[in-house]
Amino acid sequence: YLSQGLADVWALGWLAPAPLLWLAYGDTPRWQVLCASLAAFAAGQIYVAQCYWGQIPPSIIAPLVVALCVAFAVAVLLSGEALSRDSPWTALVLFPAAWTALEYGIDRISPHGSFGALGYAEVSFPAGIQVAALFGVYAVTFLMCLAASAIALVQRRRWAAGAAGIAVCLATLVFGFFRLAEPGGPRVSVSALADLDTRNLERREHTLASERAAAESYATSIGQLGDVRVVAIPEGALTMQANDQQAVLAPLAAAARAHQVLVLTGTFTPVPAQNRAFAFLPDGGVKIYAKRHLLLPFETEAPGRDAGVLGGGYGTQICKDMDFPRTVRGTAAQGVRLMIVPANDFGRDGWIHARMAIMRGVENGFAVLRSAFEGLETISDAQGRILARAPTDTAGMVTISAEVALGPGPTLYTRIGDVFPWTCAALALLLC
């Protein structure tokens, strides 16, 4: 709970499964290990209720939480059987392989993508997530579980296997620190804007005047940013009727040309329902991206199909799109070095959701500029380091700016995809 939830104590993520594995590696009856594992992981998921109770129906979140709890308990039980039936070396590897495979399997069928993956707990520790550039977030999950398994084996006096597991984790951290020390690419000045008051006023009035006034407010702020070259405005920041699109967005198009800025804003059109991002280029061009992953039943618009490549090393995704590694990887493969993300959070889940977007940047070698209503604005580099962040649940225009190094572009993970979790699945089946 402390590592995954609102407390964000990342160090505990490496230790949390160890007591349960210590139990499984002893003579405790298997039914007790099962009950303990289910109870422990369920307690760890309390943060989900804290974030979404009263905002999202339990029927949407509960199946994911139940699936994760059961999968975790199965992985712990398998590891205990491995030690009693085979060897410490099998037990060392089976828990991380089985849990990684099960976690990835849930991702493949869940409408929430990779939400809930253990690896996200380590985003606050950049050295611990650099392995994601090689094999994705599930490699981080694997290492966390490997560390816990190794610690439990040491506690059971299985010294050789335990020491080997700890050594692998330490070597990966050394790789992480070396990668953090590498020089960055060209730097660009970016900014995120969000004005919750303006959005709420616009939604209450629903007039062309209020919609255009919201756009003019953002355009005025853009003019005060100085030498900023890229600006992100949240998902659904401008609500407009289809016939009013040109009139509402004209102030942002003019600001982009006048100040030579790439301006990307989220928009919502009620009839027909469309959740889109408009990118206004400095040369007067416009590119449009439609959100591909919707939060049902709240979002009923038709999902988009295009990748979200803007050109010049820039790309965009909208909010929940960033929860799906395969979706983002397809866009990143086209040379994205800065991902611009308009988003909309649920208040308390601001950091929990933002760190998923940051992980996508590490996986695929791009910096992330993210602006979200009722959550966090963040600017992070391609190694996952936070350069600027601010909550957006306060009054008035919230602005953050930073110079961020463009990422190196497609990584090994971008190129090979989910080879690692599939390998874990094969290894787990073989060991079982």
Side-chain angles (χ1 to χ4, degrees):
Y1 168 77
L2 292 174
S3 61
Q4 286 241 289
L6 304 179
D8 191 30
V9 187
W10 61 263
L12 293 180
W14 299 84
L15 308 174
L20 297 164
L21 292 167
W22 173 85
L23 201 67
Y25 293 158
D27 298 325
T28 305
R30 293 295 172 229
W31 71 269
Q32 292 183 15
V33 174
L34 174 66
C35 292
S37 300
L38 285 170
F41 203 87
Q45 298 295 297
I46 289 173
Y47 77 91
V48 177
Q50 287 180 293
C51 290
Y52 303 114
W53 190 265
Q55 300 189 72
I56 297 180
S59 59
I60 295 178
I61 295 295
L64 174 62
V65 172
V66 170
L68 288 169
C69 290
V70 172
F72 182 81
V74 168
V76 173
L77 280 176
L78 288 175
S79 303
E81 288 298 309
L83 183 60
S84 65
R85 294 171 181 265
D86 194 59
S87 73
W89 296 96
T90 303
L92 173 70
V93 177
L94 183 52
F95 174 67
W99 172 247
T100 301
L102 290 165
E103 194 178 74
Y104 177 67
I106 292 170
D107 167 12
R108 296 284 298 190
I109 62 175
S110 170
H112 308 295
S114 60
F115 185 95
L118 290 181
Y120 292 124
E122 298 307 301
V123 170
S124 295
F125 178 44
I129 63 174
Q130 297 310 303
V131 70
L134 303 178
F135 304 119
V137 64
Y138 294 107
V140 183
T141 291
F142 180 92
L143 286 169
M144 294 169 66
C145 294
L146 181 67
S149 184
I151 291 169
L153 286 169
V154 168
Q155 291 175 318
R156 290 294 184 185
R157 301 182 183 276
R158 302 311 203 270
W159 304 109
I166 292 172
V168 170
C169 294
L170 291 176
T172 306
L173 293 182
V174 170
F175 163 77
F177 283 112
F178 271 106
R179 192 167 188 269
L180 290 176
E182 293 177 354
R187 305 183 75 83
V188 60
S189 183
V190 303
S191 183
L193 305 177
D195 188 343
L196 191 60
D197 293 339
T198 297
R199 187 200 69 172
N200 292 340
L201 177 63
E202 177 192 358
R203 289 186 174 182
R204 285 196 302 269
E205 296 189 2
H206 289 298
T207 64
L208 175 58
S210 66
E211 293 160 0
R212 186 175 172 90
E216 289 173 345
S217 174
Y218 284 109
T220 300
S221 296
I222 291 169
Q224 300 169 350
L225 292 176
D227 62 351
V228 166
R229 299 275 67 88
V230 183
V231 173
I233 300 171
E235 176 184 17
L238 301 176
T239 300
M240 57 194 179
Q241 301 300 321
N243 295 335
D244 297 333
Q245 176 178 301
Q246 186 173 356
V248 171
L249 297 176
L252 293 181
R257 291 192 303 270
H259 303 289
Q260 290 297 288
V261 180
L262 190 162
V263 178
L264 190 138
T265 182
T267 70
F268 179 73
T269 305
V271 181
Q274 294 177 306
N275 186 336
R276 296 178 294 176
F278 279 74
F280 299 98
L281 309 180
D283 63 3
V286 180
K287 294 198 174 183
I288 303 173
Y289 169 78
K291 187 176 184 179
R292 288 184 278 177
H293 293 281
L294 308 176
L295 179 58
L296 299 173
F298 302 104
E299 297 174 337
T300 58
E301 56 268 19
R305 296 180 180 275
D306 295 334
V309 177
L310 304 177
Y314 297 155
T316 185
Q317 309 284 276
I318 298 177
C319 197
K320 195 175 178 68
D321 293 337
M322 296 294 280
D323 299 355
F324 292 80
R326 293 180 302 284
T327 296
V328 177
R329 193 172 68 243
T331 302
Q334 301 184 49
V336 174
R337 303 177 70 189
L338 172 67
M339 189 67 79
I340 310 163
V341 185
N344 200 355
D345 294 329
F346 285 87
R348 301 195 76 185
D349 75 336
W351 174 238
I352 291 171
H353 203 196
R355 67 192 188 189
M356 299 174 73
I358 294 166
M359 182 67 81
R360 298 287 87 77
V362 178
E363 287 177 339
N364 296 289
F366 55 69
V368 179
L369 170 62
R370 184 177 187 269
S371 181
F373 282 133
E374 299 185 89
L376 285 179
E377 296 174 332
T378 58
I379 301 171
S380 58
D381 65 14
Q383 287 73 41
R385 290 172 289 208
I386 307 296
L387 306 180
R389 61 182 280 179
T392 57
D393 55 358
T394 57
M397 185 72 72
V398 179
T399 304
I400 60 171
S401 300
E403 276 199 356
V404 61
L406 296 177
T411 62
L412 177 65
Y413 171 70
T414 311
R415 295 182 176 93
I416 69 172
D418 294 326
V419 168
F420 183 80
W422 281 111
T423 303
C424 286
L427 180 60
L429 287 172
L430 176 65
L431 295 177
C432 284

